[in-house]
Amino acid sequence: MDWDFIVEAMPALLAGLRYTVLATVMGYALALVLGLVVAMVRKGAPPTVAKTVFWIMEFIRCTPLLVQLFFVFYVLPSAGIALTPLTAGVIALGVHYAAYTAEVYRSGLDGVPKGQWEAARALSLPGVRTWTSVILPQAIRRVIPALGNYLIAMFKDTPLLFAITVPELLFEANRLGGENFKYLETISAVGVLFIVVSVLSAIGIRFLERRYAAV
């Protein structure tokens, strides 16, 4: 193990890690918002719309993320939709994980007692007020642990962005390893960096769970 080379390579690896974290944060934000919208549509939309959304999400869940990345980055340009590698990666990650977060939200919504819905109707609360002030605060608190798990899962899936040339952590490690024939050092450093960030994320999630999650 060439420790001096690891020290020399660390700035480039950290630059790749910044892309990895950026893609994770942006993709996760998209997954949280889109998943919530999907869950609300399935809960409150007419049956035909709800069923259509359900099957779309099933299709996304049943196809590999790598295939979806290739579709967004390599296929959409033929339809006139050209995206940068990072943008394509964020969209693919966000939509893919939205299919999972939607199910998490749905379980949280189903866990809200029916009496809460009935009380909101009895008070003649508008639909928006019912959702934002009564239902969602209770539902989201119940699913914080599961949502947090998907954040870490998405972070660990970001190396797939290597396939669409996003200069993330694994991309930089592979480049440096190929240029210097030192794959042991670069790939080992990648593993350590992933462990560090994942552990810190898990600690943050546990804090949020203890502070906000329902007992």
Side-chain angles (χ1 to χ4, degrees):
M1 181 73 75
D2 188 342
W3 296 102
D4 291 334
F5 175 74
I6 293 177
V7 173
E8 294 174 6
M10 195 55 63
L13 293 177
L14 291 177
L17 180 61
R18 285 196 291 271
Y19 272 97
T20 296
V21 172
L22 179 61
T24 302
V25 171
M26 295 175 66
Y28 188 65
L30 177 59
L32 289 180
V33 174
L34 184 58
L36 180 58
V37 171
V38 169
M40 293 173 66
V41 168
R42 289 191 58 195
K43 187 76 174 178
T48 303
V49 176
K51 274 293 184 182
T52 301
V53 171
F54 167 76
W55 285 113
I56 292 173
M57 292 297 104
E58 280 296 298
F59 176 79
I60 293 172
R61 277 195 295 270
C62 293
T63 53
L65 175 57
L66 185 59
V67 173
Q68 296 167 17
L69 284 166
F70 272 70
F71 180 85
V72 173
F73 187 64
Y74 292 111
V75 177
L76 288 185
S78 63
I81 305 175
L83 302 171
T84 64
L86 181 60
T87 302
V90 168
I91 291 174
L93 284 171
V95 172
H96 182 81
Y97 274 90
Y100 294 95
T101 58
E103 289 300 302
V104 173
Y105 284 126
R106 186 179 64 82
S107 67
L109 293 173
D110 290 343
V112 176
K114 290 184 179 179
Q116 297 294 309
W117 295 90
E118 295 169 355
R121 284 194 294 269
L123 293 171
S124 300
L125 292 181
V128 173
R129 182 74 182 278
T130 298
W131 278 103
T132 58
S133 299
V134 179
I135 304 303
L136 290 181
Q138 298 181 65
I140 292 175
R141 290 177 65 236
R142 297 170 182 272
V143 297
I144 287 176
L147 292 176
N149 290 338
Y150 280 121
L151 170 62
I152 296 175
M154 181 184 289
F155 175 67
K156 292 190 294 184
D157 272 347
T158 53
L160 292 174
L161 301 183
F162 177 99
I164 59 172
T165 70
V166 176
E168 44 75 52
L169 181 55
L170 183 61
F171 182 96
E172 290 295 333
N174 184 70
R175 180 182 64 80
L176 292 170
E179 291 175 355
N180 299 276
F181 301 102
K182 293 183 180 293
Y183 284 102
L184 173 62
E185 289 80 359
T186 56
I187 300 303
S188 297
V190 167
V192 172
L193 289 172
F194 265 95
I195 290 173
V196 170
V197 176
S198 295
V199 169
L200 292 175
S201 299
I203 292 172
I205 292 165
R206 296 295 176 267
F207 171 78
L208 292 175
E209 181 180 347
R210 289 193 301 269
R211 186 175 180 85
Y212 298 109
V215 177

Short mmCIF file of all heavy atoms in Angstrom, two decimals, residues 112-154:
data_model
loop_
_atom_site.label_atom_id
_atom_site.label_comp_id
_atom_site.label_asym_id
_atom_site.label_seq_id
_atom_site.Cartn_x
_atom_site.Cartn_y
_atom_site.Cartn_z
N VAL A 112 -52.18 6.93 9.80
CA VAL A 112 -52.89 8.02 10.47
C VAL A 112 -54.31 7.54 10.81
O VAL A 112 -55.03 7.07 9.92
CB VAL A 112 -52.95 9.28 9.58
CG1 VAL A 112 -53.78 10.37 10.25
CG2 VAL A 112 -51.55 9.78 9.29
N PRO A 113 -54.72 7.62 12.06
CA PRO A 113 -56.06 7.13 12.43
C PRO A 113 -57.17 7.79 11.61
O PRO A 113 -57.10 8.98 11.29
CB PRO A 113 -56.17 7.52 13.92
CG PRO A 113 -54.75 7.64 14.39
CD PRO A 113 -53.98 8.15 13.22
N LYS A 114 -58.17 7.00 11.27
CA LYS A 114 -59.29 7.54 10.49
C LYS A 114 -59.99 8.68 11.21
O LYS A 114 -60.57 9.57 10.59
CB LYS A 114 -60.29 6.42 10.21
CG LYS A 114 -59.78 5.37 9.23
CD LYS A 114 -60.85 4.34 8.92
CE LYS A 114 -60.33 3.29 7.93
NZ LYS A 114 -61.37 2.26 7.63
N GLY A 115 -59.93 8.66 12.54
CA GLY A 115 -60.55 9.73 13.30
C GLY A 115 -59.97 11.09 13.00
O GLY A 115 -60.66 12.12 13.11
N GLN A 116 -58.70 11.14 12.59
CA GLN A 116 -58.08 12.41 12.24
C GLN A 116 -58.70 12.98 10.97
O GLN A 116 -58.95 14.19 10.88
CB GLN A 116 -56.57 12.21 12.06
CG GLN A 116 -55.84 11.75 13.31
CD GLN A 116 -55.85 12.81 14.39
OE1 GLN A 116 -55.51 13.97 14.15
NE2 GLN A 116 -56.25 12.44 15.59
N TRP A 117 -58.94 12.12 9.99
CA TRP A 117 -59.60 12.56 8.76
C TRP A 117 -61.03 13.03 9.07
O TRP A 117 -61.48 14.06 8.58
CB TRP A 117 -59.66 11.42 7.76
CG TRP A 117 -58.34 10.95 7.25
CD1 TRP A 117 -57.56 9.96 7.79
CD2 TRP A 117 -57.62 11.43 6.11
NE1 TRP A 117 -56.41 9.80 7.06
CE2 TRP A 117 -56.43 10.69 6.02
CE3 TRP A 117 -57.89 12.42 5.16
CZ2 TRP A 117 -55.50 10.91 5.01
CZ3 TRP A 117 -56.96 12.63 4.14
CH2 TRP A 117 -55.78 11.89 4.08
N GLU A 118 -61.72 12.26 9.89
CA GLU A 118 -63.11 12.59 10.22
C GLU A 118 -63.18 13.90 11.00
O GLU A 118 -64.09 14.72 10.78
CB GLU A 118 -63.73 11.45 11.02
CG GLU A 118 -63.87 10.16 10.22
CD GLU A 118 -64.23 8.98 11.08
OE1 GLU A 118 -64.29 9.14 12.32
OE2 GLU A 118 -64.44 7.87 10.52
N ALA A 119 -62.23 14.10 11.91
CA ALA A 119 -62.22 15.35 12.68
C ALA A 119 -61.98 16.54 11.77
O ALA A 119 -62.59 17.60 11.94
CB ALA A 119 -61.14 15.28 13.76
N ALA A 120 -61.09 16.39 10.79
CA ALA A 120 -60.83 17.49 9.86
C ALA A 120 -62.06 17.82 9.05
O ALA A 120 -62.38 19.00 8.82
CB ALA A 120 -59.67 17.11 8.93
N ARG A 121 -62.77 16.78 8.61
CA ARG A 121 -64.01 17.02 7.86
C ARG A 121 -65.07 17.67 8.75
O ARG A 121 -65.81 18.55 8.32
CB ARG A 121 -64.53 15.71 7.27
CG ARG A 121 -63.76 15.23 6.04
CD ARG A 121 -64.52 14.14 5.31
NE ARG A 121 -64.64 12.93 6.12
CZ ARG A 121 -63.77 11.93 6.11
NH1 ARG A 121 -62.69 12.00 5.33
NH2 ARG A 121 -63.96 10.87 6.86
N ALA A 122 -65.15 17.22 10.01
CA ALA A 122 -66.14 17.78 10.93
C ALA A 122 -65.89 19.26 11.19
O ALA A 122 -66.83 20.03 11.40
CB ALA A 122 -66.12 17.01 12.25
N LEU A 123 -64.60 19.64 11.15
CA LEU A 123 -64.25 21.05 11.36
C LEU A 123 -64.30 21.86 10.07
O LEU A 123 -63.99 23.06 10.08
CB LEU A 123 -62.85 21.15 11.97
CG LEU A 123 -62.69 20.60 13.40
CD1 LEU A 123 -61.23 20.57 13.79
CD2 LEU A 123 -63.48 21.47 14.37
N SER A 124 -64.69 21.18 8.98
CA SER A 124 -64.78 21.84 7.66
C SER A 124 -63.45 22.46 7.22
O SER A 124 -63.42 23.54 6.61
CB SER A 124 -65.88 22.91 7.67
OG SER A 124 -67.13 22.33 7.96
N LEU A 125 -62.37 21.79 7.55
CA LEU A 125 -61.06 22.29 7.12
C LEU A 125 -60.91 22.11 5.61
O LEU A 125 -61.30 21.07 5.07
CB LEU A 125 -59.94 21.53 7.85
CG LEU A 125 -59.81 21.75 9.35
CD1 LEU A 125 -58.64 20.94 9.89
CD2 LEU A 125 -59.60 23.23 9.67
N PRO A 126 -60.33 23.09 4.94
CA PRO A 126 -60.06 22.92 3.51
C PRO A 126 -59.12 21.74 3.27
O PRO A 126 -58.36 21.34 4.17
CB PRO A 126 -59.40 24.25 3.11
CG PRO A 126 -59.75 25.20 4.20
CD PRO A 126 -59.90 24.39 5.45
N GLY A 127 -59.16 21.21 2.06
CA GLY A 127 -58.32 20.05 1.76
C GLY A 127 -56.84 20.31 1.99
O GLY A 127 -56.13 19.48 2.57
N VAL A 128 -56.36 21.47 1.54
CA VAL A 128 -54.94 21.79 1.71
C VAL A 128 -54.58 21.86 3.18
O VAL A 128 -53.54 21.35 3.63
CB VAL A 128 -54.61 23.12 1.00
CG1 VAL A 128 -53.17 23.54 1.31
CG2 VAL A 128 -54.82 22.99 -0.50
N ARG A 129 -55.44 22.49 3.98
CA ARG A 129 -55.18 22.61 5.42
C ARG A 129 -55.22 21.23 6.08
O ARG A 129 -54.42 20.96 7.00
CB ARG A 129 -56.25 23.52 6.03
CG ARG A 129 -56.08 23.78 7.53
CD ARG A 129 -54.94 24.73 7.81
NE ARG A 129 -54.76 24.94 9.22
CZ ARG A 129 -55.47 25.79 9.96
NH1 ARG A 129 -56.43 26.52 9.39
NH2 ARG A 129 -55.22 25.94 11.25
N THR A 130 -56.12 20.39 5.64
CA THR A 130 -56.19 19.03 6.21
C THR A 130 -54.89 18.28 5.99
O THR A 130 -54.35 17.66 6.90
CB THR A 130 -57.36 18.25 5.58
OG1 THR A 130 -58.59 18.91 5.89
CG2 THR A 130 -57.41 16.82 6.11
N TRP A 131 -54.38 18.37 4.76
CA TRP A 131 -53.14 17.67 4.44
C TRP A 131 -51.94 18.26 5.18
O TRP A 131 -51.16 17.54 5.80
CB TRP A 131 -52.89 17.71 2.93
CG TRP A 131 -53.64 16.69 2.15
CD1 TRP A 131 -54.77 16.89 1.40
CD2 TRP A 131 -53.34 15.30 2.04
NE1 TRP A 131 -55.18 15.71 0.83
CE2 TRP A 131 -54.32 14.72 1.20
CE3 TRP A 131 -52.34 14.49 2.56
CZ2 TRP A 131 -54.32 13.37 0.87
CZ3 TRP A 131 -52.34 13.14 2.23
CH2 TRP A 131 -53.31 12.59 1.40
N THR A 132 -51.79 19.58 5.11
CA THR A 132 -50.57 20.21 5.62
C THR A 132 -50.53 20.33 7.14
O THR A 132 -49.45 20.29 7.74
CB THR A 132 -50.39 21.61 5.00
OG1 THR A 132 -51.54 22.42 5.30
CG2 THR A 132 -50.21 21.51 3.50
N SER A 133 -51.70 20.49 7.78
CA SER A 133 -51.71 20.74 9.22
C SER A 133 -52.10 19.52 10.06
O SER A 133 -51.78 19.47 11.25
CB SER A 133 -52.68 21.89 9.54
OG SER A 133 -52.28 23.08 8.91
N VAL A 134 -52.79 18.57 9.44
CA VAL A 134 -53.28 17.44 10.22
C VAL A 134 -52.64 16.13 9.81
O VAL A 134 -52.05 15.42 10.64
CB VAL A 134 -54.83 17.32 10.09
CG1 VAL A 134 -55.33 16.12 10.90
CG2 VAL A 134 -55.50 18.60 10.54
N ILE A 135 -52.71 15.79 8.53
CA ILE A 135 -52.32 14.45 8.08
C ILE A 135 -50.81 14.31 7.90
O ILE A 135 -50.19 13.42 8.50
CB ILE A 135 -53.06 14.10 6.77
CG1 ILE A 135 -54.57 14.22 6.96
CG2 ILE A 135 -52.67 12.70 6.32
CD1 ILE A 135 -55.14 13.37 8.07
N LEU A 136 -50.22 15.17 7.09
CA LEU A 136 -48.80 15.01 6.77
C LEU A 136 -47.87 15.10 7.99
O LEU A 136 -46.93 14.31 8.09
CB LEU A 136 -48.38 16.02 5.70
CG LEU A 136 -48.94 15.78 4.30
CD1 LEU A 136 -48.43 16.84 3.33
CD2 LEU A 136 -48.57 14.39 3.81
N PRO A 137 -48.09 16.03 8.92
CA PRO A 137 -47.19 16.06 10.08
C PRO A 137 -47.18 14.73 10.85
O PRO A 137 -46.14 14.32 11.35
CB PRO A 137 -47.76 17.20 10.94
CG PRO A 137 -48.42 18.11 9.96
CD PRO A 137 -49.02 17.19 8.93
N GLN A 138 -48.34 14.08 10.94
CA GLN A 138 -48.39 12.79 11.63
C GLN A 138 -47.78 11.68 10.80
O GLN A 138 -47.06 10.82 11.30
CB GLN A 138 -49.84 12.44 11.96
CG GLN A 138 -50.52 13.42 12.90
CD GLN A 138 -51.95 13.00 13.21
OE1 GLN A 138 -52.19 11.98 13.82
NE2 GLN A 138 -52.90 13.81 12.77
N ALA A 139 -48.08 11.68 9.50
CA ALA A 139 -47.61 10.61 8.63
C ALA A 139 -46.09 10.62 8.47
O ALA A 139 -45.43 9.57 8.55
CB ALA A 139 -48.28 10.71 7.26
N ILE A 140 -45.52 11.82 8.27
CA ILE A 140 -44.09 11.90 8.00
C ILE A 140 -43.27 11.52 9.23
O ILE A 140 -42.23 10.86 9.11
CB ILE A 140 -43.73 13.31 7.50
CG1 ILE A 140 -44.35 13.54 6.11
CG2 ILE A 140 -42.21 13.51 7.44
CD1 ILE A 140 -44.17 14.93 5.56
N ARG A 141 -43.74 11.90 10.42
CA ARG A 141 -43.03 11.54 11.64
C ARG A 141 -42.91 10.03 11.78
O ARG A 141 -41.93 9.52 12.32
CB ARG A 141 -43.74 12.12 12.86
CG ARG A 141 -43.63 13.62 12.99
CD ARG A 141 -44.41 14.14 14.18
NE ARG A 141 -43.86 13.68 15.43
CZ ARG A 141 -44.54 13.02 16.35
NH1 ARG A 141 -45.81 12.70 16.15
NH2 ARG A 141 -43.97 12.65 17.47
N ARG A 142 -43.89 9.31 11.28
CA ARG A 142 -43.88 7.85 11.41
C ARG A 142 -42.87 7.17 10.50
O ARG A 142 -42.49 6.02 10.74
CB ARG A 142 -45.28 7.30 11.10
CG ARG A 142 -46.36 7.76 12.06
CD ARG A 142 -47.75 7.38 11.55
NE ARG A 142 -48.79 7.87 12.42
CZ ARG A 142 -49.26 7.20 13.48
NH1 ARG A 142 -48.78 6.00 13.74
NH2 ARG A 142 -50.20 7.72 14.25
N VAL A 143 -42.47 7.84 9.43
CA VAL A 143 -41.65 7.17 8.42
C VAL A 143 -40.25 7.76 8.30
O VAL A 143 -39.53 7.44 7.35
CB VAL A 143 -42.35 7.22 7.05
CG1 VAL A 143 -43.68 6.47 7.11
CG2 VAL A 143 -42.58 8.66 6.58
N ILE A 144 -39.84 8.60 9.23
CA ILE A 144 -38.49 9.17 9.18
C ILE A 144 -37.40 8.10 9.11
O ILE A 144 -36.48 8.21 8.30
CB ILE A 144 -38.26 10.13 10.38
CG1 ILE A 144 -39.06 11.42 10.17
CG2 ILE A 144 -36.78 10.46 10.53
CD1 ILE A 144 -38.98 12.38 11.34
N PRO A 145 -37.47 7.04 9.93
CA PRO A 145 -36.40 6.01 9.84
C PRO A 145 -36.30 5.38 8.45
O PRO A 145 -35.20 5.20 7.93
CB PRO A 145 -36.82 4.99 10.90
CG PRO A 145 -37.65 5.76 11.87
CD PRO A 145 -38.40 6.75 11.04
N ALA A 146 -37.43 5.03 7.86
CA ALA A 146 -37.41 4.40 6.53
C ALA A 146 -36.89 5.36 5.47
O ALA A 146 -36.12 4.98 4.59
CB ALA A 146 -38.81 3.91 6.17
N LEU A 147 -37.31 6.62 5.53
CA LEU A 147 -36.82 7.61 4.58
C LEU A 147 -35.31 7.80 4.72
O LEU A 147 -34.60 7.95 3.73
CB LEU A 147 -37.54 8.95 4.77
CG LEU A 147 -39.03 8.98 4.42
CD1 LEU A 147 -39.61 10.35 4.76
CD2 LEU A 147 -39.24 8.68 2.93
N GLY A 148 -34.84 7.78 5.95
CA GLY A 148 -33.41 7.92 6.19
C GLY A 148 -32.62 6.76 5.60
O GLY A 148 -31.52 6.95 5.06
N ASN A 149 -33.16 5.57 5.69
CA ASN A 149 -32.48 4.40 5.11
C ASN A 149 -32.31 4.55 3.61
O ASN A 149 -31.29 4.14 3.04
CB ASN A 149 -33.27 3.13 5.43
CG ASN A 149 -33.19 2.75 6.89
OD1 ASN A 149 -32.26 3.16 7.59
ND2 ASN A 149 -34.14 1.98 7.36
N TYR A 150 -33.30 5.15 2.95
CA TYR A 150 -33.19 5.33 1.50
C TYR A 150 -32.16 6.38 1.14
O TYR A 150 -31.59 6.35 0.04
CB TYR A 150 -34.56 5.67 0.90
CG TYR A 150 -35.42 4.46 0.71
CD1 TYR A 150 -36.66 4.35 1.33
CD2 TYR A 150 -35.00 3.39 -0.08
CE1 TYR A 150 -37.45 3.21 1.17
CE2 TYR A 150 -35.77 2.26 -0.24
CZ TYR A 150 -36.99 2.18 0.38
OH TYR A 150 -37.76 1.05 0.21
N LEU A 151 -31.90 7.33 2.03
CA LEU A 151 -30.83 8.30 1.78
C LEU A 151 -29.49 7.58 1.69
O LEU A 151 -28.70 7.81 0.76
CB LEU A 151 -30.79 9.34 2.90
CG LEU A 151 -29.58 10.29 2.90
CD1 LEU A 151 -29.55 11.12 1.63
CD2 LEU A 151 -29.58 11.17 4.13
N ILE A 152 -29.24 6.68 2.64
CA ILE A 152 -27.97 5.94 2.63
C ILE A 152 -27.92 5.00 1.43
O ILE A 152 -26.88 4.85 0.78
CB ILE A 152 -27.81 5.17 3.95
CG1 ILE A 152 -27.72 6.17 5.12
CG2 ILE A 152 -26.57 4.29 3.91
CD1 ILE A 152 -27.67 5.52 6.48
N ALA A 153 -29.05 4.37 1.10
CA ALA A 153 -29.08 3.47 -0.05
C ALA A 153 -28.78 4.23 -1.34
O ALA A 153 -28.03 3.74 -2.21
CB ALA A 153 -30.45 2.80 -0.14
N MET A 154 -29.33 5.44 -1.48
CA MET A 154 -29.05 6.24 -2.67
C MET A 154 -27.58 6.62 -2.73
O MET A 154 -26.96 6.57 -3.81
CB MET A 154 -29.93 7.50 -2.69
CG MET A 154 -29.70 8.36 -3.92
SD MET A 154 -30.63 9.92 -3.93
CE MET A 154 -32.30 9.31 -4.17
#
